[in-house]
Amino acid sequence: QPQLVESGGGLVQPGGSLRLSCAASELRLDYGYVGWIRQAPGKERERVSCISRSGFSTEYADSVKGRFTISRDNAKNMVYLQMSTLKPEDTALYYCTVYPGDSCEGLFEYRGRGTQVTVSS
């Protein structure tokens, strides 16, 4: 059974940084595009970033552009989300998702259980 496991979340002060990691078992992450989505209480789910199979193509939501960087290491079967200059509005449960097609549009095929990011002083 393929599984995704996110890690790296935590409590950080505004302006701080975190690096989220996504590890997969029974699944090659370069099988598809990989995205990070977040869900905050009372807010709509938001896809914050997406990376192509090769890693050459990346996308970011306007809300995180310039602050977040997605990357992947296919040799290690890992995907990362480096988050900098964090703001309280970045507080959410962050999920790693895998899409079978050639984009992060539509329904994901796999999703982890999430890692909580809390930005607060």
Side-chain angles (χ1 to χ4, degrees):
Q1 182 84 0
Q3 284 190 333
L4 301 177
V5 179
E6 303 93 338
S7 62
L11 174 63
V12 63
Q13 291 187 342
S17 299
L18 284 173
R19 189 175 84 151
L20 306 185
S21 298
C22 175
S25 60
E26 305 295 329
L27 174 70
R28 289 289 311 174
L29 286 176
D30 54 6
Y31 154 78
Y33 278 49
V34 177
W36 287 93
I37 62 175
R38 65 186 181 186
Q39 180 76 61
K43 294 184 178 180
E44 289 190 2
R45 187 174 67 189
E46 180 184 24
R47 188 179 70 240
V48 297
S49 190
C50 176
I51 189 166
S52 64
R53 291 181 182 83
S54 65
F56 289 142
S57 178
T58 58
E59 297 175 3
Y60 299 94
D62 288 342
S63 58
V64 307
K65 204 169 290 184
R67 300 187 297 120
F68 289 12
T69 302
I70 191 170
S71 63
R72 67 192 305 161
D73 186 335
N74 288 338
K76 294 182 178 179
N77 205 28
M78 298 284 292
V79 172
Y80 308 96
L81 185 69
Q82 178 68 47
M83 306 187 297
S84 303
T85 320
L86 283 161
K87 304 176 181 179
E89 51 264 43
D90 294 318
T91 296
L93 190 58
Y94 284 71
Y95 298 95
C96 176
T97 51
V98 176
Y99 301 80
D102 293 327
S103 73
C104 291
E105 300 294 329
L107 295 176
F108 50 78
E109 186 166 355
Y110 302 103
R111 193 201 75 179
R113 292 190 174 186
T115 184
Q116 177 68 38
V117 172
T118 302
V119 185
S120 175
S121 54

